[in-house]
Amino acid sequence: MRLSGKSALVTGAASGFGAAIAETFAREGAAVTILDLNGDGAAEMANRFGGASVKGDVTRAADIESAVKTARDHGGSLDIIVNNAGWTHRNKPMLDVTEEEYERLYDINVRSIFHMTRACVPVMREQGGGVILNIGSTAGIRPRPGLTWYNSTKGAVNLLSKSMAVELAPDRIRVNCVAPVIGATALLESFMGVPDTPENRAKFVATIPLGRMSEPQDIANACLYLASDEAEFITGTVFEVDGGRTV
Ligand SMILES: NC(=O)c1ccc[n+]([C@@H]2O[C@H](COP(=O)([O-])OP(=O)(O)OC[C@H]3O[C@@H](n4cnc5c(N)ncnc54)[C@H](O)[C@@H]3O)[C@@H](O)[C@H]2O)c1
């Protein structure tokens, strides 16, 4: 088992990529805590593998602090953080995105990492190290039209991961970013901006050299490697899991 003895906190793990990450980490021996706005979904997921769950909002510092405390109580330490919770406005012209949507985007996708960093770094420093994974996106590398403000949040996540990596390296805290290409989660229709039909999916698949969308397990496998000690010399990467989309 590649994560035995480790304690991990995964945000937004009631569904989608986060759920696969949490289950994979648990299967590999980690004690996993889930933080999600969807409290019932988080509890249901955590029950599958004997994990802990917290119903909370990643945009609120108090909820993040509470999840960090739960993860430490549940796992006895705080070794791995996965900042995965995210949201997008529907694909539409940039001038049609409201200020409310813009604020929600930056709160969920970027402010959340600010809060989590402030909560987890002092703990990891005291422990002598740790791993932080941020779920960015190919949207921040090779942007699609209609998602300008979402794309910009992921550009921030991709870059802040590198900056955190260099600043936290002396503390033996590794920071990496995983950048998925479009995948069939609850956010798919918002990303596409058109109904989820086989014809509409085919248009997006045509832009991915390996010829399919990402699967949650693809993202979980990348996170597993980066979180494990096998990646002990890897920090500051933006690891595209994208079937060649950004080449
Ligand atoms: N699906 C894709 O195509 C795709 C591609 C690239 C990157 N991503 C990123 O992957 C991450 C996971 O998204 P997903 O596609 O699995 O979507 P999803 O909607 O299935 O999962 C997101 C989870 O985050 C939770 N969440 C949302 N806002 C929250 C908040 N304020 N506080 C706590 N939890 C909150 C939701 O309840 C949900 O369980 C996001 O950061 C997303 O931007 C997704």
Side-chain angles (χ1 to χ4, degrees), residues 163-188:
S163 191
M164 285 174 69
V166 286
E167 193 166 334
L168 295 175
D171 298 305
R172 305 189 62 78
I173 299 172
R174 296 190 294 107
V175 186
N176 287 292
C177 177
V178 170
V181 75
I182 194 166
T185 68
L187 292 178
L188 179 65

Side-chain angles (χ1 to χ4, degrees), residues 12 15-17 36-37 56-58 84 136-137 150 154 180 182-183 185 191:
S15 66
F17 295 161
D36 203 295
L37 213 45
D57 186 338
V58 291
N84 164 77
S137 176
Y150 171 80
K154 292 302 180 175
I182 194 166
T185 68
F191 284 131

Side-chain angles (χ1 to χ4, degrees), residues 196-215:
D196 181 11
T197 63
E199 296 73 31
N200 285 331
R201 282 194 186 200
K203 289 182 196 153
F204 283 83
V205 168
T207 67
I208 302 169
L210 282 181
R212 67 167 173 85
M213 291 187 179
S214 67
E215 297 286 342

Side-chain angles (χ1 to χ4, degrees), residues 18-37:
I21 296 166
E23 278 199 303
T24 300
F25 281 16
R27 188 193 72 215
E28 292 295 331
V32 178
T33 299
I34 292 174
L35 168 61
D36 203 295
L37 213 45

Side-chain angles (χ1 to χ4, degrees), residues 86-228:
W87 180 75
T88 185
H89 59 78
R90 193 174 171 82
N91 187 314
K92 57 185 172 183
M94 68 178 98
L95 298 186
D96 293 350
V97 173
T98 65
E99 189 172 356
E100 202 176 36
E101 288 173 314
Y102 174 89
E103 281 180 353
R104 186 168 175 214
L105 255 185
Y106 270 82
D107 277 355
I108 298 178
N109 294 0
V110 184
R111 187 191 296 265
S112 58
I113 300 179
F114 174 79
H115 287 321
M116 183 64 86
T117 302
R118 288 159 65 98
C120 79
V121 166
V123 178
M124 289 179 166
R125 277 190 172 137
E126 202 181 301
Q127 281 179 186
V131 175
I132 299 172
L133 300 180
N134 298 323
I135 306 301
S137 176
T138 55
I141 302 168
R142 191 168 178 205
R144 296 182 194 273
L147 291 169
T148 289
W149 308 118
Y150 171 80
N151 295 337
S152 72
T153 65
K154 292 302 180 175
V157 174
N158 294 352
L159 192 278
L160 69 80
S161 303
K162 287 177 179 278
S163 191
M164 285 174 69
V166 286
E167 193 166 334
L168 295 175
D171 298 305
R172 305 189 62 78
I173 299 172
R174 296 190 294 107
V175 186
N176 287 292
C177 177
V178 170
V181 75
I182 194 166
T185 68
L187 292 178
L188 179 65
E189 214 168 272
S190 296
F191 284 131
M192 295 199 301
V194 289
D196 181 11
T197 63
E199 296 73 31
N200 285 331
R201 282 194 186 200
K203 289 182 196 153
F204 283 83
V205 168
T207 67
I208 302 169
L210 282 181
R212 67 167 173 85
M213 291 187 179
S214 67
E215 297 286 342
Q217 195 60 52
D218 296 319
I219 313 312
N221 291 343
C223 288
L224 173 60
Y225 167 64
L226 290 169
S228 75

